[in-house]
Amino acid sequence: MATIYDVAKQAGVSPKTVSRVLNGDGPVNAETRQLVEAAMAELGYVRSNAARMMRATRSGLVGLVTGAISTSIDPTRPTGLPDLFIVQGVQAVLAKAGKTLMIADTAGRQDSVPGLMRTFLEHRVEGLIYVADHHKEIASPGVPSQVPLILANCFDAAGTPAILPDDRAGQRALTESLMAAGHGRIAYVTLMREMVATRLRLQGYHDALAGAGIAADPALVAAGYREGYAQDGALVENAIDALLALDQPPTAICFGNDEMAMRGYGILRSRGLAIPDDISVAGYDDYRAIAETLFPPLTTVELAYRQLGEVAAAQLLARIEGQSDLPQQTLVPGPVRWRQSVRRLTD
């Protein structure tokens, strides 16, 4: 690789003159500048920013750790890429601020995260962002306190600043919308009970019922997910059959996500029920490849992943600038996307 000395020799000038051309920190006449630039082009010289960064107060770099790049996509099932959408939101904000985003992928190994963080720190990043594939608790990455770190779509026990989807508010808003449409018997078929999102969405579901003065009926809540959708088709089917067999069956069913709702469409139709004339259906995620292509289109709640990334980047920039009056946890709401899968029982 060509060095500054090679360029100086090729151009017939001193290394100091080449340095002045590169850094713009001294007078160089136009003819000499052209000679130096031509030599650099001929030799394929690429300047190293290492020395400049050592002198600079700030590097202009931000490090981001994610699993989005190595995520395996199964073409047999519709799957969103929440972590990738979050990264896109981060990139948009940082680019506008003139920062360069460096991305490292975990390759599916969470034990690689500390090492990746250390590598970024060695490159003198101004801040760090860790992006998770779903709302969950993670082990603290253990970054030095002088380097701002933001967690996106996850949180830790150490209280690291975290940007999270507001799952509780989302399910509450959806349930309230169904009630406003005249539905009093609303069922909820959940994802795994162990998931953070499931716990929060159940709270939102019960918040909405309590706010309307409706007593919660445990028979209207059923688990539709255990380990994987390929194995749990029967679980969703059994949950729907149990709901339909109630003395007072639901007029609307909320499913834990849009993929489960899609499965529910087929099961309900196989039972002779029309959507939404006989029963209304709602999902969660606003995975548009499902929600907008189902017939009728699916009412759901948007998980605002890109906005989550934008908020994470904005807060990181604020912390880099020394702003200290920021919340340790920020919840990003997603709107209800009302479509034709819900029948209004009231005018």
Side-chain angles (χ1 to χ4, degrees), residues 115-131:
L116 296 173
M117 294 286 189
R118 283 194 300 271
T119 298
F120 280 139
L121 293 173
E122 290 169 0
H123 284 76
R124 299 183 66 249
V125 294
E126 295 181 30
L128 291 161
I129 298 176
Y130 177 79
V131 176

Side-chain angles (χ1 to χ4, degrees), residues 15-53:
K16 180 64 174 177
T17 298
V18 176
S19 176
R20 287 173 177 170
V21 172
L22 288 170
N23 298 313
D25 56 359
V28 180
N29 64 49
E31 182 179 354
T32 301
R33 182 179 298 277
Q34 289 176 359
L35 286 172
V36 172
E37 291 175 347
M40 288 191 292
E42 184 175 344
L43 294 173
Y45 173 78
V46 178
R47 72 177 298 177
S48 170
N49 286 328
R52 182 175 58 84
M53 287 171 57

Side-chain angles (χ1 to χ4, degrees), residues 175 178-179 183-188 205 209 220 250-254:
T175 307
L178 293 172
M179 291 190 295
H183 294 275
R185 295 282 290 172
I186 302 169
Y188 185 26
Y205 168 78
L209 295 178
L220 289 175
T251 60
I253 301 178
C254 293

Side-chain angles (χ1 to χ4, degrees), residues 203-214:
Q203 290 175 345
Y205 168 78
H206 286 116
D207 289 345
L209 295 178
I214 299 174

Side-chain angles (χ1 to χ4, degrees), residues 194-208:
E194 296 79 10
M195 293 179 66
V196 173
T198 299
R199 173 174 53 81
L200 292 171
R201 292 175 194 175
L202 271 172
Q203 290 175 345
Y205 168 78
H206 286 116
D207 289 345

Side-chain angles (χ1 to χ4, degrees), residues 6 76 126 168-169 173 187 195 254 257 313 320 338 341:
D6 297 324
T76 66
E126 295 181 30
R168 183 171 182 171
M195 293 179 66
C254 293
N257 63 16
I320 289 172
W338 193 267
S341 65

Side-chain angles (χ1 to χ4, degrees), residues 146-221:
Q146 64 268 27
V147 180
L149 168 66
I150 299 288
L151 303 180
N153 210 25
C154 58
F155 61 95
D156 63 15
T160 301
I163 315 299
L164 302 166
D166 197 343
D167 286 293
R168 183 171 182 171
Q171 189 64 48
R172 174 169 185 161
L174 177 61
T175 307
E176 288 175 341
S177 295
L178 293 172
M179 291 190 295
H183 294 275
R185 295 282 290 172
I186 302 169
Y188 185 26
V189 181
T190 75
L191 298 173
M192 286 189 298
R193 297 296 182 96
E194 296 79 10
M195 293 179 66
V196 173
T198 299
R199 173 174 53 81
L200 292 171
R201 292 175 194 175
L202 271 172
Q203 290 175 345
Y205 168 78
H206 286 116
D207 289 345
L209 295 178
I214 299 174
D217 183 351
L220 289 175
V221 178

